Amino acid sequence: MSSHFLRECAITPLLLAALLLLLIVPTVCQQVEGHDRGVVWERIGQEMISHAPVIALTMDPADPNTIYAGAYHNPGLYKTTDGGSSWNPADVGLEGLAVFALQVDPKDSQTIYAGATNGLYRTTDGGASWHALSDELPYATVYAIAMDHDGNLYLGTDGHGLYRSDDGGQTVVPLGDELAETSILALVLDPEARTIFAGTSGQGLYVSHDAGQSWKPVPDLEGAYVSDMALHQYDSDLVFACTRRALWKTDNGGLSWEVADGGLEQRVNTVTFHPSHSEAVYAGTATGHIYRSTDGSGSWQSLSEVRRAVYSLIVDPANPALMYAGSWDGVYKSLDGGLSWELANRGLGSVEIEALVLDETNPQILYAGNTADAVYKSTDGGRSWRNTSRGLGETDKGRGVLSLAIAPPHHRSVYAGTNGRGVFVSTDGGESWAPAGPVQQMGMGAIVVHPQDEKHLWVRVFFDRVYESTDGGVSWQPRWEGMSPELEVISLIMDPHRPAVLYAGSEDGLYKSTDGRASWRKAGLEGQTVFSIAFDPYDPEVLYAGVTDGLYRSHNASVSWEPWGEELEETTISALVVDPTDGRIIYAGTKYHGFFWSGDGGRTWLAANTGLDSSSVDVLAVHPTGRLLYAATPDGVFRGVIQ
């Protein structure tokens, strides 16, 4: 056999391998194309003020700089050791629970009791860790905690009445058959616990003069909602009780009561006594006003106000000029006996962003809607933000903005959907606002503007369906023909390829209107809650739906759907956008599982959460170039740089 033949035989396998490699490599490259990129996130919007509804405050009796704040929030408990200059979560063992009541053990300030969503908790290390107490206590919220001179605990529960514990919460016994099915919101008692006052949720005020063995209702307060009470530290016959109708007072241990709200112009949520002035009392109201009475007779003078409803007031016993107020905003601090206040929220709560829009004609401009602080605007691509809420009304829960929409074609008009005040409009690029029409006592969860008519709007309303306005929000008409009366619409969007087509995601599938709103028909996904919808920018037949248990894709404009993307199965998809420059690239925000992206039209997905300090993403916006992303979350706003 010739050497020439041997050389040919030796070379042939190499050539075959090279040919196979040439055939395989393009296929492999096609499969992974797009997945060579990633997203790195950074927090932006540090100028935005964090908030948490603080409903309970207590001070360490051994250290007035140490304060605990119970919040209707997650985390539900915060602690400061520097007098409110900074706060840190103190919820190890309380994860995911709201805290409604706090009680420090006066004999050991490291031991604290917390009334939480599902029962009673205790810490013995100053809030570093918490542990549930008493299997004998019903699985119910503990709204009120009081302690007598001997250290016995009294616990007011939601729907199960009053309990007492003689061993630090390890075991409990019910007190009073009369209270067995009541919700106890407020408790005060004399040091020996002979006389106990129990305020309920809509069932009035009860008084016991035999340590809780028997109870009598107060006739004047029958059916009252008693949010708080205060008992004088030196005269246990003197008690104030806050109700929705009036502020009440007894000076004979509950034998008789009288209205004591002379000079008060708002409903009082909370009341507390001055620690050393025997006749001085402070009151915090539902509108954020702080009042003081100095004559013990129930005549009041307005001292000052904070921005939101006040739920709790505490005064430093050693320095009565130092006060703290727990409010819908968070915590306020006063150094002059309540004459002036400053928000002391650093590290407390979060900046909960519900709405986020990007101006596609000038992508340096963004608007963000905060659930408590209205609208923020950026003109430099999110690097800096300022509050632009002038003209937006305010309620006791703030100026919450739930939705935003920029009106084409000139993009100077911006609409804001509020929480209970209707739709507002800005005609100067978000600098100032005015009501678009009469106040609507509903939450406006989404706004859609017709691309050729800035006065033509649709809104989805919380716990309701769809409304239409053709006059810029001055008047509204219900548009829900074809929808069941019990249906709640969860998402609303216009087809960018066909402006006459609207999609409404509901708690029971998707609905579609092809006549510009007049009627709706089912469009699949029955049994699913549809949170988000996105469209392929180049193929009008392809759209994606984010639902309770993952992602679905339609290739025929919602005629049929198929599950799409195994990595997102069993995951609630709360936000979806498609890259405007490449329909294969899709971005998904989820509830509790962070952010994902796909480079192959949604077939496969990768998590990309570096720098994203939030497990949930509610809104996504993409830059027209496809190189930047913005995410609105319950923990603030983030910018993602696509690598």
Side-chain angles (χ1 to χ4, degrees), residues 15 127 362:
L15 290 173
N362 182 1

Side-chain angles (χ1 to χ4, degrees), residues 69-359:
Y72 191 69
H73 188 263
N74 186 17
L77 188 68
Y78 292 86
K79 178 181 179 180
T80 178
T81 57
D82 54 15
S85 296
S86 62
W87 297 83
N88 289 293
D91 66 331
V92 175
L94 289 169
E95 291 88 349
L97 301 175
V99 172
F100 297 90
L102 292 165
Q103 174 68 53
V104 179
D105 188 334
K107 298 177 181 178
D108 176 12
S109 63
Q110 292 295 293
T111 298
I112 309 156
Y113 298 90
T117 307
N118 63 350
L120 180 68
Y121 288 76
R122 181 178 66 188
T123 178
T124 57
D125 52 18
S129 61
W130 296 83
H131 305 280
L133 293 172
S134 186
D135 294 335
E136 301 170 2
L137 198 66
Y139 186 88
T141 300
V142 173
Y143 284 128
I145 307 174
M147 182 180 286
D148 65 22
H149 184 73
D150 295 325
N152 300 314
L153 289 171
Y154 298 80
L155 311 171
T157 68
D158 181 16
H160 295 274
L162 182 65
Y163 289 79
R164 184 182 70 206
S165 174
D166 300 335
D167 55 8
Q170 297 297 332
T171 61
V172 297
V173 293
L175 284 183
D177 293 339
E178 301 90 339
L179 303 180
E181 296 181 358
T182 60
S183 294
I184 309 294
L185 302 181
L187 280 173
V188 292
L189 44 87
D190 66 28
E192 288 75 33
R194 291 297 303 170
T195 300
I196 308 173
F197 300 85
T200 74
S201 174
Q203 294 166 289
L205 176 62
Y206 287 79
V207 182
S208 172
H209 294 289
D210 56 8
Q213 298 308 305
S214 63
W215 295 81
K216 291 184 178 180
V218 176
D220 290 336
L221 279 76
E222 182 180 357
Y225 178 101
V226 184
S227 61
D228 193 24
M229 291 186 291
L231 180 142
H232 198 286
Q233 60 268 42
Y234 304 120
D235 180 4
S236 56
D237 284 338
L238 179 57
V239 179
F240 282 90
C242 308
T243 76
R244 289 177 174 173
R245 292 179 294 171
L247 180 66
W248 294 80
K249 171 191 170 185
T250 178
D251 56 11
N252 54 18
L255 298 177
S256 63
W257 293 80
E258 61 181 351
V259 174
D261 57 4
L264 291 172
E265 298 177 359
Q266 294 87 23
R267 186 181 81 230
V268 174
N269 284 341
T270 184
V271 63
T272 191
F273 283 98
H274 191 287
S276 56
H277 190 309
S278 61
E279 294 189 324
V281 196
Y282 295 95
T285 74
T287 56
H289 288 78
I290 311 294
Y291 286 82
R292 181 176 63 190
S293 173
T294 57
D295 59 9
S297 65
S299 60
W300 300 86
Q301 300 81 41
S302 177
L303 285 182
S304 54
E305 64 179 297
V306 298
R307 289 186 58 191
R308 307 285 193 266
V310 176
Y311 302 111
S312 178
L313 285 169
I314 58 172
V315 186
D316 182 357
N319 176 20
L322 176 60
M323 299 178 63
Y324 295 89
S327 83
W328 184 265
D329 264 344
V331 175
Y332 286 85
K333 181 177 181 178
S334 174
L335 298 173
D336 54 14
L339 295 175
S340 62
W341 299 84
E342 288 189 3
L343 191 63
N345 264 13
R346 183 182 167 201
L348 191 150
S350 61
V351 181
E352 188 172 354
I353 304 296
E354 289 277 355
L356 182 67
V357 290
L358 179 147
D359 187 339

Side-chain angles (χ1 to χ4, degrees), residues 608-619:
N609 293 299
T610 301
L612 185 65
D613 300 328
S614 180
S615 61
S616 295
V617 176
D618 295 321
V619 185

Side-chain angles (χ1 to χ4, degrees), residues 394-515:
E394 188 161 0
T395 69
D396 61 347
K397 295 183 179 179
R399 297 179 293 185
V401 167
L402 306 177
S403 55
L404 290 165
I406 300 173
H410 304 298
H411 291 245
R412 291 291 292 170
S413 294
V414 187
Y415 291 97
T418 68
N419 185 12
R421 300 178 321 283
V423 173
F424 281 69
V425 62
S426 171
T427 57
D428 55 8
E431 297 298 324
S432 62
W433 301 83
V439 172
Q440 304 288 332
Q441 300 292 333
M442 299 178 289
M444 302 294 183
I447 302 175
V448 173
V449 187
H450 195 286
Q452 281 88 44
D453 183 357
E454 64 178 22
K455 299 288 187 180
H456 196 172
L457 315 175
W458 295 265
V459 296
R460 80 163 180 91
V461 174
F462 276 100
F463 311 113
D464 203 342
R465 288 160 289 178
V466 179
Y467 291 78
E468 180 191 29
S469 174
T470 57
D471 53 16
V474 175
S475 61
W476 296 91
Q477 297 297 323
R479 300 301 186 195
W480 53 55
E481 182 183 339
M483 294 180 175
S484 67
E486 299 82 15
L487 194 74
E488 180 183 355
V489 172
I490 306 296
S491 54
L492 182 67
I493 194 169
M494 178 178 286
D495 187 332
H497 305 289
R498 310 176 184 94
V501 176
L502 291 170
Y503 287 93
S506 80
E507 59 190 349
D508 185 21
L510 186 66
Y511 285 76
K512 181 177 183 179
S513 173
T514 56
D515 56 7

